[in-house]
């Protein structure tokens, strides 16, 4: 049913008078529907672009003086969050883990330094070593699942485990548009993307190993390069969204605000496990 | 109880009389604290005199203040820092046959070596010549403590030599002022020991055996330290005889404090006697100010250019030092073996200078080479254990050996150490470990450990069917070399980077990790990232097996990775080799706000480790201090 709502049904040109009156009705209904949908999409765009400010306003409540903050990879939300705290004259230091193999951490470190924050770049392997001296871990998210779990850039599960061991709060910044009504079953496989191995291994150096061969016909060398990690809700201390701070166990209530009840029942062919298709399939109700 | 002993014992030492009677009131508090905790680093930071060792009872303060000013004035013989050390040792020779190292125990090289004697600069006031004479008289008693006590006959002949050179020493006081300060410190210790020896000699000669043999345990040549806990613990324990010597041995097990790189004065002193010119990195992370960080890229060309100005340095040692600096040799076992083989060359080419004892001179030489290695790259803990072993073997050479016999015996000892403790130990570990690999296993390893590689290859040869997952990390990316070797031998491998370890861990059945060292509280000190892998494995209930030879066990304890670590080249972080699109940080490395931290090691807590496979068997991490205690002495006395 939702599909028919989004895709306007164009009437055939030649038809009987009944069809014509129906088409006249349909076109006005279609126009109204288009108008509503376009308005909704514009609102969504507005939300996405302004969520940074609303989240960053809450920065001052969570960052005190002389803090040490750890983050991994790069997220614009995190950047704005930290910058807002700095604007309010809080002094703190940031450890940025580089986030191989995309090395987004380098970008974030460059941005932070440009804005005047004291930044130290570390490798991802040094996270456990450093975290005992860190006060808070602040990260962005790719998506927030219905149970409060987070689909985050790869490596953040490791950081969350280390933070739990050292009792360091793990704070996830996510705009409300990242909320997803799906429950993550086997998220490492189903909700993940595997990227090109060339980011890890140079093809030229290892082309001999990548040959199919060795008799059985299967390659001896596999390269695994996942793009995302799943962080279970018990490792997350707090979600900071544009509507305020929430516990992971509360996130499912927000789904009712952003998704129509009709759409929470996920049908077989819709549930492909791809987040992008969810956005198109489900009606964004206000 | 120690405090009470301190009140009774210390004043006796102080009445020796080699310092002025109007000692400042701050002294009693210092001397009180010495026997209490012979190895606590804060002792060296007392406000009285920042860089004094706890053993040295400071002379009256005003004199030492003058001394500090004088020490900063240029030395009478200006020379480049590279030559300073050799010329200083040359100065020592000029003094005569008296080599401060001889009068001291052969096994306390950090003080005896020429390099560490520089620490005495600026610390001690001038000695009255009367005190000097008195001390040299008692030096022969102190020498009775070296190794076996049948050395006294040898020492008395040396003492005769002392008297002959006294006058030239005194005459050269003015011109060799810094040198004299070094010798006065050594002299003071000699005098202290002499006092103790005089008192203990009457009581029990066997005590000296206990004393001397426990001294090798204390050798930590990796530290350019100025606080010799062995001597301080001697001060206390020799008071009352045998039971004290037992206590002292136990106290000796506390590792000595290490070089404090956040103390500017010590760093300056260390720099003066350094062979390698190191300029400190400019943008240092605050949290790691206590660790050395130097500008990379400047040391190697500098050392290479000095290759032909080798006077004190043996070419084999120089070569290995350069290899450490360039990173050509890495991995605990490889570094140890390279170092031992270099020392074998040194021993083969060594000839005792006239009127010197082989043990002491050779030990001093070894110490100077060790400090050179430390400047090239900080020693690993296993290398520290190895050096302790070597020095104890040198100290244990029977006096009846001629020079060639001694050299042959030492070379044989080194060969035996390499064979037993590394090669055979690896074989035993491999045999134990393959029993833990079953068909259908998926084994994960991190980085490139030589022992784990041998285990995997051996299990593959035995015909076991398993897969390997190699987890790698920046900036070294050592896993790629391991990957190539394993795939070349026909193992089926999966390669991934450390961020993806949570993704891959649900397929893994066992984790095999190597380590640089295992500490006494069960903490595994290894390549940075090992802790992350072990933690994720523990979260997924996958057993973690550490493969480590027993000679790498250490009696230190560590709680986290910050207090003791090694800082690598920060520029290795900003450059991503092979990826042209990732050069965001090209122009940023010298900005004030931007710091790059390249840690080399980290500490894995023992609760993440299921089992440690050593050549003594498969043990839980809680049994490591047992092995250190029971078997730690064994290999020192092969």
């Amino acid at each position: 049913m939702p599909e028919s709502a989004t895709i306007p049904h164009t009437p055939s040109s030649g038809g009987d008078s009944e069809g014509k009156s129906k088409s006249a009705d349909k076109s006005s209904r279609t126009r109204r529907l288009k108008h509503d949908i376009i308005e909704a999409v514009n609102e969504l765009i507005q939300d996405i672009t302004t969520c940074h400010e609303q989240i960053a306003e809450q920065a001052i409540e969570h960052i005190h003086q002389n803090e040490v903050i750890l983050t991994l990879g790069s997220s614009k939300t995190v950047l704005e969050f930290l910058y807002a705290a700095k604007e309010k004259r809080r002094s703190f230091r940031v450890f940025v883990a580089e986030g191989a193999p995309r090395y987004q951490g380098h970008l974030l470190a460059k941005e932070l330094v440009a804005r005047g924050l004291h930044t130290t770049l570390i490798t991802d392997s040094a996270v456990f070593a450093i975290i005992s001296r860190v006060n808070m871990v602040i990260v962005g998210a790719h998506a927030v699942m219905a149970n409060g779990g987070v689909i985050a850039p790869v490596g953040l599960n490791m950081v969350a485990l280390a933070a739990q061991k050292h009792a360091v709060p793990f704070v996830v910044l996510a705009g409300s548009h990242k909320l997803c009504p799906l429950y993550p079953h086997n998220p490492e496989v189903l909700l993940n993307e595997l990227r090109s191995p060339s980011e890890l291994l140079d093809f030229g150096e290892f082309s001999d190993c990548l040959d199919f061969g060795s008799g059985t016909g299967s390659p001896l060398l596999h390269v695994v390069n996942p793009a995302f990690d799943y962080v279970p809700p018990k490792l997350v201390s707090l979600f900071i969204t544009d509507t305020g701070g929430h516990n992971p166990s509360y996130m499912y209530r927000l789904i009712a605000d952003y998704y129509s009840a009709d759409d929470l029942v996920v049908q077989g062919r819709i549930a492909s496990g791809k987040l992008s298709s969810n956005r198109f399939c489900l009606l964004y109700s206000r | 109880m120690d405090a009470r002993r301190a009140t009774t014992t210390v004043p006796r030492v102080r009445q020796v009389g080699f310092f002025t009677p109007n000692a400042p009131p701050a002294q009693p508090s210092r001397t009180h604290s010495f026997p209490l905790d012979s190895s606590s680093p804060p002792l060296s930071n007392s406000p009285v005199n920042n860089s004094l060792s706890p053993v040295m009872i400071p002379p009256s303060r005003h004199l030492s203040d003058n001394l500090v000013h004088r020490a900063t004035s240029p030395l009478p013989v200006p020379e480049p820092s590279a030559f300073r050390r050799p010329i200083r040792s040359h100065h020592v020779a000029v003094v005569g046959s008296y080599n401060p190292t001889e009068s001291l125990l052969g096994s306390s090289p950090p003080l005896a070596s020429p390099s560490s004697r520089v620490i005495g600069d600026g610390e001690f006031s001038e000695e009255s010549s009367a005190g000097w004479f008195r001390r040299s008289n008692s030096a022969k008693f102190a020498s009775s403590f070296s190794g076996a006590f049948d050395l006294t006959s040898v020492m008395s002949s040396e003492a005769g030599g002392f008297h002959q050179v006294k006058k030239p020493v005194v005459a050269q006081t003015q011109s060799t002022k810094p040198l004299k300060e070094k010798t006065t410190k050594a002299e003071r210790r000699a005098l202290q020991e002499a006092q103790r020896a005089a008192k203990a000699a009457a009581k029990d000669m066997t005590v000296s055996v206990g004393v001397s043999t426990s001294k090798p345990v204390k050798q930590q040549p990796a530290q350019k330290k100025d606080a010799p806990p062995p001597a301080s613990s001697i001060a206390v324990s020799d008071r009352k005889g045998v039971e004290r010597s037992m206590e002292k041995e136990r106290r000796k097990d506390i590792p000595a404090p290490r070089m404090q790189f956040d103390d500017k004065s010590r760093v300056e002193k260390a720099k003066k006697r350094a062979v390698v010119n190191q300029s400190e990195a400019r943008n240092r992370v605050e949290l790691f100010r206590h660790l050395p960080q130097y500008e990379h890229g400047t040391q190697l060309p500098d050392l290479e250019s000095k290759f032909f100005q080798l006077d004190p340095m043996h070419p084999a040692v120089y070569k290995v030092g350069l290899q450490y600096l360039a990173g050509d040799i890495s991995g605990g076992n490889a570094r140890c073996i390279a170092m031992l083989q270099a020392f074998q060359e040194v021993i083969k080419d060594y000839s005792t200078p006239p009127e010197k004892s082989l043990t002491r001179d050779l030990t001093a030489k070894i110490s100077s080479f060790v400090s050179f290695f430390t400047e090239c790259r900080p020693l690993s803990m296993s290398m520290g254990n190895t050096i302790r072993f070597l020095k104890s073997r040198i100290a244990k050479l029977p006096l009846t050996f001629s020079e060639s016999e001694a050299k042959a015996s030492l070379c044989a000892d080194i060969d035996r150490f390499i064979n037993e403790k590394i090669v055979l130990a690896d074989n035993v570990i491999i045999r134990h470990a393959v029993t833990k690999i079953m068909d259908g296993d998926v084994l994960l390893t991190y980085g490139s450990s030589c022992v784990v590689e041998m285990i995997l290859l051996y299990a593959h040869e035995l015909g076991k069917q398993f897969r390997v997952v190699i987890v790698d990390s920046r900036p070294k990316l050592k896993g790629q070399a391991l990957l190539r070797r394993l795939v070349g031998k026909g193992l089926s491998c999966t390669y991934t980077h450390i961020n993806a370890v949570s993704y891959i861990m649900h397929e893994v059945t066992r984790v095999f990790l190597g380590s640089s060292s295992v500490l006494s509280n069960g903490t595994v000190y290894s390549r940075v990232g090992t802790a992350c892998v072990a933690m994720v494995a523990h979260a997924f209930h996958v057993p973690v097996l550490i493969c480590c030879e027993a000679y790498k066990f250490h009696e230190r304890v560590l709680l986290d990775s910050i207090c003791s670590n090694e800082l690598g080249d920060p520029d290795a972080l900003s450059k991503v080799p092979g990826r042209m699109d990732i050069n965001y940080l090209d122009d940023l490395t010298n900005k004030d706000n931007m710091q790059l931290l390249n840690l080399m090691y980290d500490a894995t807590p023992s609760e993440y480790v299921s089992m440690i496979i050593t050549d003594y068997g498969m043990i839980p991490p809680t049994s490591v201090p047992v092995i250190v205690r029971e078997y730690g002495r064994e290999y020192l006395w092969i």
Side-chain angles (χ1 to χ4, degrees), chain B residues 441-462:
Chain B
D441 264 349
V442 180
L443 308 176
L444 185 141
T445 181
Y446 174 71
S448 162
S449 161
C450 54
V451 187
V452 175
E453 184 181 345
M454 288 195 273
I455 292 172
L456 295 173
L457 290 175
Y458 184 62
H460 185 69
E461 277 170 39
L462 287 183

Side-chain angles (χ1 to χ4, degrees), chain A residues 180-281:
Chain A
C180 169
L182 287 185
Y183 184 88
H185 299 282
N186 200 359
E188 279 98 357
V189 179
L190 295 181
L191 297 175
N192 216 332
E193 274 175 30
L194 293 179
R195 297 168 62 94
S196 162
S198 64
E199 289 177 355
L200 295 184
L201 283 186
D202 192 24
F203 274 134
E205 285 177 21
F206 282 89
S207 51
D208 51 343
C209 305
L210 290 170
D211 286 344
F212 279 66
S214 81
T216 59
S218 59
L220 285 179
L221 175 60
H222 293 266
V223 180
V224 173
N225 189 6
F228 297 117
D229 236 351
Y230 172 68
V231 182
K234 61 178 164 53
L235 297 179
V236 179
S237 310
L238 187 68
F239 280 101
I240 297 184
T241 67
D242 40 357
T243 51
H246 306 293
N247 233 14
S249 51
Y250 180 75
M251 297 310 279
Y252 77 98
R253 298 307 289 179
L254 298 179
I255 295 174
D257 287 348
Y258 298 110
Y259 293 97
S260 146
D262 295 338
D263 306 323
L264 291 181
V265 178
V266 181
Q267 296 173 13
R269 56 197 158 108
I270 300 172
S272 63
K274 289 213 145 220
L275 303 175
S276 49
S277 60
N278 285 330
R279 225 160 262 143
F280 292 128
C281 294

